[in-house]
Amino acid sequence: MDSHPDSSTPDASASKDAAKVTIADVARQAGVSKGLVSFALNDRPGVSAETRARILSVAGLLGWTPSLRARSLSSQRSFALGLVIARDPEVLGSDPFFTSFIAGVETILAPEGLALVLSVVPDEKTELATYRTLVADGRVDGVFLSDLRRDDARIPCLTELGLPTVTLGRPDQPSPFPAVSIDDTQGIAESVRHLSSLGHRRIAHVAGSAAMLHGRRRRDAFTQAMQAAGLGQGQVVETDFSIAAGADATRRLLRQAEPPTAIVFANDPMAIAGIGVAQELGVRVPDDLSITGFDDIEFARYVYPALTTVGATPMVWGRAAASTLLGLIRTGSAEDVELPAARLIVRGSASAPPPY
Amino acid sequence: MDSHPDSSTPDASASKDAAKVTIADVARQAGVSKGLVSFALNDRPGVSAETRARILSVAGLLGWTPSLRARSLSSQRSFALGLVIARDPEVLGSDPFFTSFIAGVETILAPEGLALVLSVVPDEKTELATYRTLVADGRVDGVFLSDLRRDDARIPCLTELGLPTVTLGRPDQPSPFPAVSIDDTQGIAESVRHLSSLGHRRIAHVAGSAAMLHGRRRRDAFTQAMQAAGLGQGQVVETDFSIAAGADATRRLLRQAEPPTAIVFANDPMAIAGIGVAQELGVRVPDDLSITGFDDIEFARYVYPALTTVGATPMVWGRAAASTLLGLIRTGSAEDVELPAARLIVRGSASAPPPY
DNA sequence: CTGAAAGCGCTTACAG
DNA sequence: CTGAAAGCGCTTACAG
């Protein structure tokens, strides 16, 4: 690695203090009015092809970058999209969903010159206040709504605010917003069928919060798949999706007189904690206890035994949600999008149940 | 799943279109000029106490929120701070540092009415381009620079751009920016001493990338601590900090004729992968192999055995970095900040070495 | 201590 | 197809 000491050392006084070139400079140089330059920039009709070409060429020559601030003020747009995440930050850390989701969003926004404004807030009350502030400040042209809850207060709030929104998943209430969804019930059903086909009959589910739609939905999918397999309802323990709660739930399940031989967890962090608790209790995975997760976070491949889980695709989700939100903002409406269902990924954490 | 055929039909006309109250309305109602309202809003001298009180009261009555867009245009500020993360998004997910860091930043920004603009980009080239765009667009008033690298190209780039910056840690090159640092060498040294006092003599280090300052620094701390303990240099395997690389490195170390009895990992994700690999190879942790990590991510407490690690405090770091950046922007300069060193947290993954 | 006016750099009807 | 002008809603010298 040789260094280039002379690299990137422009004549200091450059860029920042350089007299900012404005639309007026371009107009003068091109011999047209400012309005026409604006029209050319925004690809609006009413500018002859050759005039537009000349304007754009002059703009390039002068190194003109239209002022985002001026555009924002006069066009009442902010050229930014928002994401508000309401979670205990300590817990958030273990969930890699958002960073991948954001990376996906970014692949759509960056080429459009749009930015992402991110807020991490501790609770729902602060979250609602944050949306109001974002709108009052005109910070964003639209937002992504994730972690949908039952009878979600954010839907009426955002509707009232008139803020273009895309929901991640379909709300359980009337919603004016397009939804970008990915079916997670199929993966849960596959998990149950997989375990059932391995010979398990006492299968339990460590569910996420029933107050969250995906928690409830995965739980229902579990119960239905159990019944379809003729295994009754299946024992269910509800949690808040946190690692700590997943560990507790596992402990409770395994301490029963007749513990399950398999546990379907509603997410990977809890499943991984479940493996830890089993080991701590001297229960062998998968020999004594089979475990499945949901998400396919990176850790899933590297714990031992590697986690059989359902593969979510947050980056894909991010791209789809961003495209949909952009469409909504630009055209005023957008269709719901259904992404390919998350599917089961078989690894080592689930096998046949013990013979006794 | 019942569908709502009537969805995506906003009733548009809501609050969004409510006639926006402006500074002119406040001025008229309060019987003063617009300029004075602005002065009162910005707490500038030249407004008598009672006039200011009257203005603010009228503003409250009318529900006036100063327009961020107008303020941005006339004051040449954006009221936002930026964070650009350059990483493979798939790998990023397993690192909870940023979400906690951002949550910390948020606690400082939100009360000030400032927003955070976040970019996740795939590589350094895109990262530099992103900074240029942020500046050209006047998107942010300053940025946080994290994951410092050797001879980091971003330092000269940001210097040239004249963008107020706070670095997370001290660069290895001349830098005009304040640094907010947390000593991580002490925790590594403590780890080595801890293992040494347990009786370990063959201690290895799975290091992060030497191209990254914290990777290099932790490695040096390891080597020094080993020598101080009279244990030679200690075997070191370099990685890129990723889970996959951590797993590989562990595998290589354990397959040697005389494998280490303890491994100090440069971060928790690799350490957790290390536990997985050991188990896969039939090496018992901690009986046959002791393991320590760095970060104290949430998983660390829930894997088995629970990970002995060094506790970082990303939220605290986020708060300190945000405060420092705000100070820099407002006053033009800021002191370096040294946060309390990260300390060793003893759990179950390290014990005495096997007797043989 | 206060007011009138120009300016930030665009967009957008409105005339031609 | 093109131009001149008002307007977006603030901030900030500059006069008083």
Side-chain angles (χ1 to χ4, degrees):
Chain A
M1 268 183 287
D2 50 353
S3 59
H4 296 281
D6 59 340
S7 71
S8 39
T9 335
D11 58 303
S13 56
S15 31
K16 197 171 189 187
D17 311 312
K20 170 80 178 163
V21 20
T22 74
I23 200 173
D25 301 316
V26 177
R28 196 179 320 114
Q29 279 284 330
V32 299
S33 70
K34 294 192 307 178
L36 207 56
V37 175
S38 175
F39 271 52
L41 167 71
N42 294 301
D43 278 326
R44 294 183 35 160
V47 191
S48 73
E50 59 176 326
T51 306
R52 160 176 291 128
R54 180 158 43 90
I55 291 174
L56 294 180
S57 128
V58 168
L61 243 54
L62 298 181
W64 175 61
T65 317
S67 157
L68 195 73
R69 287 165 184 155
R71 295 184 79 190
S72 286
L73 179 58
S74 57
S75 69
Q76 306 284 35
R77 287 182 293 164
S78 51
F79 304 98
L81 267 29
L83 175 61
V84 182
I85 304 176
R87 287 208 199 172
D88 177 351
E90 310 286 353
V91 172
L92 217 189
S94 57
D95 187 348
F97 176 84
F98 284 109
T99 31
S100 294
F101 178 81
I102 289 170
V105 166
E106 209 76 39
T107 63
I108 303 295
L109 298 199
E112 303 278 349
L114 304 176
L116 180 72
V117 169
L118 176 70
S119 283
V120 177
V121 299
D123 51 49
E124 183 179 65
K125 195 168 157 244
T126 313
E127 188 178 7
L128 295 177
T130 300
Y131 285 124
R132 293 187 188 286
T133 303
L134 287 176
V135 169
D137 287 353
R139 276 282 187 196
V140 296
D141 299 322
V143 293
F144 301 99
L145 189 55
S146 71
D147 285 340
L148 253 31
R149 301 187 274 266
R150 294 187 60 178
D151 196 23
D152 202 312
R154 297 171 299 174
I155 303 271
C157 172
L158 289 165
T159 305
E160 173 203 335
L161 290 170
L163 188 62
T165 300
V166 162
T167 60
L168 271 46
R170 244 180 302 279
D172 65 344
Q173 58 197 298
S175 161
F177 306 122
V180 176
S181 318
I182 176 167
D183 179 80
D184 48 4
T185 65
Q186 212 173 116
I188 293 286
E190 283 185 83
S191 301
V192 170
R193 283 199 298 270
H194 177 62
L195 293 168
S196 162
S197 73
L198 287 169
H200 291 274
R201 304 201 56 77
R202 284 200 312 283
I203 307 175
H205 179 49
V206 172
S209 167
M212 308 198 67
L213 295 194
H214 61 306
R216 158 69 64 151
R217 200 169 51 231
R218 290 173 194 176
R219 177 198 184 129
D220 290 347
F222 171 79
T223 305
Q224 281 174 28
M226 286 295 281
Q227 285 170 333
L231 299 176
Q233 290 223 122
Q235 188 177 7
V236 175
V237 183
E238 185 181 330
T239 72
D240 60 4
F241 274 121
S242 74
I243 300 189
D248 277 355
T250 308
R251 205 164 279 124
R252 253 178 296 151
L253 284 172
L254 296 183
R255 278 186 181 152
Q256 299 174 116
E258 206 171 51
T261 62
I263 306 179
V264 173
F265 287 83
N267 71 10
D268 279 0
M270 293 199 294
I272 290 172
I275 292 180
V277 165
Q279 292 182 340
E280 176 195 325
L281 297 179
V283 174
R284 292 169 306 164
V285 178
D287 311 73
D288 300 328
L289 176 69
S290 286
I291 283 181
T292 70
F294 198 108
D295 282 340
D296 192 28
I297 67 176
E298 211 199 353
F299 275 118
R301 274 184 297 272
Y302 294 97
V303 292
Y304 186 83
L307 190 62
T308 290
T309 188
V310 178
T313 50
M315 268 198 74
V316 174
W317 212 354
R319 302 173 77 107
S323 301
T324 301
L325 185 49
L326 278 189
L328 173 63
I329 291 169
R330 285 173 185 166
T331 72
S333 74
E335 295 296 306
D336 285 1
V337 175
E338 185 71 38
L339 297 170
R343 304 299 302 266
L344 184 69
I345 298 167
V346 175
R347 298 205 183 94
S349 66
S351 69
Y356 46 88
Chain B
M1 267 182 289
D2 47 355
S3 61
H4 296 283
D6 59 340
S7 72
S8 41
T9 335
D11 79 278
S13 57
S15 63
K16 198 171 188 190
D17 310 310
K20 170 81 177 162
V21 19
T22 76
I23 199 173
D25 300 317
V26 177
R28 196 179 320 112
Q29 279 285 329
V32 298
S33 70
K34 293 193 306 177
L36 207 58
V37 175
S38 176
F39 272 52
L41 167 70
N42 293 302
D43 276 328
R44 294 183 35 159
V47 191
S48 73
E50 60 177 326
T51 306
R52 160 175 292 125
R54 180 159 43 91
I55 290 174
L56 295 181
S57 126
V58 168
L61 244 54
L62 297 181
W64 175 61
T65 317
S67 157
L68 194 73
R69 286 166 184 156
R71 294 184 79 190
S72 286
L73 180 59
S74 56
S75 68
Q76 307 285 32
R77 287 182 292 165
S78 51
F79 304 97
L81 267 30
L83 176 61
V84 182
I85 304 176
R87 289 207 196 173
D88 177 351
E90 310 287 353
V91 172
L92 217 187
S94 57
D95 187 348
F97 176 83
F98 284 109
T99 32
S100 293
F101 178 81
I102 289 170
V105 166
E106 208 77 39
T107 62
I108 304 294
L109 297 200
E112 303 278 348
L114 304 176
L116 180 72
V117 169
L118 176 70
S119 283
V120 176
V121 301
D123 51 49
E124 183 179 65
K125 195 168 156 245
T126 312
E127 188 178 7
L128 295 177
T130 300
Y131 285 125
R132 295 187 187 285
T133 303
L134 286 176
V135 169
D137 287 353
R139 276 282 188 195
V140 296
D141 299 322
V143 293
F144 301 97
L145 189 55
S146 69
D147 286 339
L148 252 31
R149 301 187 273 266
R150 294 185 61 177
D151 198 21
D152 202 311
R154 298 171 297 174
I155 303 270
C157 172
L158 289 166
T159 304
E160 173 204 339
L161 289 170
L163 188 60
T165 300
V166 162
T167 61
L168 271 45
R170 243 178 303 279
D172 64 345
Q173 59 196 299
S175 161
F177 306 123
V180 177
S181 317
I182 176 168
D183 180 79
D184 47 5
T185 65
Q186 210 173 119
I188 294 287
E190 284 185 83
S191 301
V192 171
R193 284 199 298 271
H194 177 61
L195 293 167
S196 163
S197 74
L198 287 169
H200 292 273
R201 304 201 56 77
R202 286 201 310 284
I203 307 176
H205 178 47
V206 172
S209 166
M212 308 197 68
L213 296 194
H214 62 306
R216 157 70 64 153
R217 201 167 53 230
R218 289 174 195 176
R219 176 197 184 131
D220 289 348
F222 171 79
T223 305
Q224 281 175 29
M226 286 295 281
Q227 286 171 331
L231 300 175
Q233 290 221 125
Q235 187 177 7
V236 174
V237 183
E238 185 180 329
T239 71
D240 61 1
F241 273 122
S242 73
I243 299 188
D248 278 354
T250 308
R251 205 165 278 124
R252 254 178 296 152
L253 284 171
L254 295 183
R255 277 183 181 153
Q256 299 175 117
E258 206 172 49
T261 61
I263 306 179
V264 172
F265 286 84
N267 71 12
D268 279 359
M270 293 198 293
I272 289 172
I275 291 179
V277 166
Q279 292 182 340
E280 175 194 324
L281 297 178
V283 174
R284 292 168 307 164
V285 179
D287 310 72
D288 302 327
L289 176 69
S290 286
I291 283 182
T292 70
F294 199 108
D295 283 340
D296 193 28
I297 67 176
E298 212 199 353
F299 275 120
R301 273 185 297 270
Y302 293 98
V303 293
Y304 188 81
L307 190 63
T308 290
T309 188
V310 179
T313 48
M315 268 198 75
V316 173
W317 213 353
R319 303 172 76 107
S323 300
T324 302
L325 185 48
L326 279 189
L328 174 63
I329 291 169
R330 285 172 185 168
T331 71
S333 75
E335 295 297 306
D336 285 2
V337 175
E338 185 70 39
L339 297 171
R343 305 300 302 269
L344 184 69
I345 298 167
V346 175
R347 297 205 183 94
S349 66
S351 69
Y356 44 91

